[in-house]
Amino acid sequence: MQLPSLDMPSFPPGWVWLVGAGPGDPGLLTLHAVNALNQADAVIYDALVGEEILRCAPQGAVLEYAGKRGGKPSPKQRDISLRLIELARQGKRVLRLKGGDPFVFGRGAEEALALREAGIPFRVIPGISAGIGGLAYAGIPLTHRDTNSCVTFLTGHNASGEVPESLDWEAMVRASPVLVIYMAIKHLDRLVAKLRHAGLSDERPAALVSHATLPGMRVLTTTLGRAADDARAAGIEPPALFVIGEVVALRAAIGAGDPSAQPSPASCLATG
Ligand code: SAH
């Protein structure tokens, strides 16, 4: 894609750029992300980065998948960091492409620390996080003056894949009228139980948004009490966000309603 005539940085050989690809729709890539893709020699990408986006890399760029595939465990984080270091030491322009924003539940900080320790120069290019862009596509505002002046993002998995125990669930529920939970599907029942136990009402509006911004996007509006059963009945699958709060009820009034009414994803942003 031709970038507007902005002064975009050149990607120096031997550098790693940690880049957020946004939640899926290629139109949500930033100009910096497209600029990075246009120049990369090697792209190390995660499961949530779609093919259309990868097609923006130059022909001849090495594309390496660093996610979980076919039930096989994902490569160890340490191995991914070592691979980035190895490629950078070979003088490649290494693009580490992650879903959403690299520093939001994306382990980007671990990679940045490993690169710093190894003395590899890098920069971070933020992306639109799924909890922001995905909910916007679903017609769910994160804040609204009448309902909330604060929002909390949390993860349904900690480093060992469990519901985070160290969180003060009661304090969080008291303090934050809107909660956005990433990685929510695996432990949905337990997350709902935690939130109810912490004091949230069964009637609190809630939604599950899966494959947000992508052609297969689904939005299920429900309540906290019914969320797990409704999600099972509807066959909601990851990647999905679970949002709880009165803002969900605004969706109907805002009328972004039917996700298929959203513009379809841009076709490949071919390299210029
Ligand atoms: N760094 C990413 C988050 C990585 S964690 C970001 O900033 O968005 C992976 C979780 O992100 C998924 O389990 C899901 O909860 C959420 N997610 C990512 N892409 C999504 C999408 N297109 N639709 C819904 N949820 C998504």
Side-chain angles (χ1 to χ4, degrees):
M1 186 185 76
Q2 292 298 330
L3 289 172
S5 52
L6 299 170
D7 200 8
M8 300 303 282
S10 64
F11 196 156
W15 278 61
V16 176
W17 284 6
L18 298 172
V19 179
D25 179 349
L28 297 179
L29 287 166
T30 63
L31 294 176
H32 273 302
V34 175
N35 177 51
L37 273 162
N38 282 346
Q39 299 178 64
D41 299 313
V43 181
I44 314 298
Y45 63 98
D46 279 344
L48 296 177
V49 177
E51 266 177 36
E52 251 181 322
I53 290 175
L54 294 171
R55 265 188 256 130
C56 302
Q59 286 201 336
V62 176
L63 301 182
E64 280 185 22
Y65 178 71
K68 200 177 271 192
R69 183 168 272 169
K72 293 196 191 125
S74 31
K76 293 260 179 316
Q77 186 59 50
R78 184 75 203 142
D79 293 338
I80 297 172
S81 297
L82 289 175
R83 182 68 180 142
L84 299 177
I85 292 165
E86 182 184 23
L87 288 164
R89 288 198 172 133
Q90 289 169 8
K92 299 227 161 37
R93 300 170 183 85
V94 185
L95 199 174
R96 173 69 172 118
L97 194 58
K98 292 170 157 295
D101 181 276
F103 278 179
V104 178
F105 304 129
R107 310 192 73 170
E110 285 160 69
E111 291 170 14
L113 287 167
L115 294 168
R116 173 68 68 220
E117 201 183 314
I120 303 291
F122 66 93
R123 70 175 284 174
V124 179
I125 296 176
I128 296 180
S129 191
I132 296 178
L135 292 189
Y137 266 47
I140 300 171
L142 277 176
T143 67
H144 178 55
R145 281 205 302 192
D146 294 343
T147 56
N148 64 310
S149 48
C150 131
V151 56
T152 297
F153 297 98
L154 63 148
T155 169
H157 295 185
N158 61 16
S160 45
E162 293 304 318
V163 173
E165 289 296 337
S166 59
L167 259 181
D168 184 339
W169 291 82
E170 278 157 36
M172 182 182 69
V173 160
R174 229 180 6 257
S176 184
V178 175
L179 306 172
V180 179
I181 310 186
Y182 288 66
M183 294 174 263
I185 296 296
K186 185 169 163 208
H187 300 310
L188 191 56
D189 287 289
R190 285 172 55 203
L191 289 165
V192 167
K194 285 256 181 220
L195 295 169
R196 294 170 75 195
H197 187 71
L200 272 194
S201 146
D202 274 357
E203 300 313 315
R204 186 64 68 103
L208 285 133
V209 182
S210 73
H211 296 89
T213 81
L214 292 163
M217 167 161 158
R218 296 184 66 191
V219 184
L220 173 76
T221 50
T222 176
T223 59
L224 179 65
R226 290 202 321 266
D229 284 345
D230 285 358
R232 255 187 302 274
I236 296 289
E237 294 200 338
L241 299 151
F242 183 30
V243 51
I244 306 106
E246 291 298 332
V247 286
V248 172
L250 287 166
R251 177 171 191 258
I254 287 174
D258 176 8
S260 63
Q262 293 285 349
S264 58
S267 56
C268 175
L269 303 165
T271 53

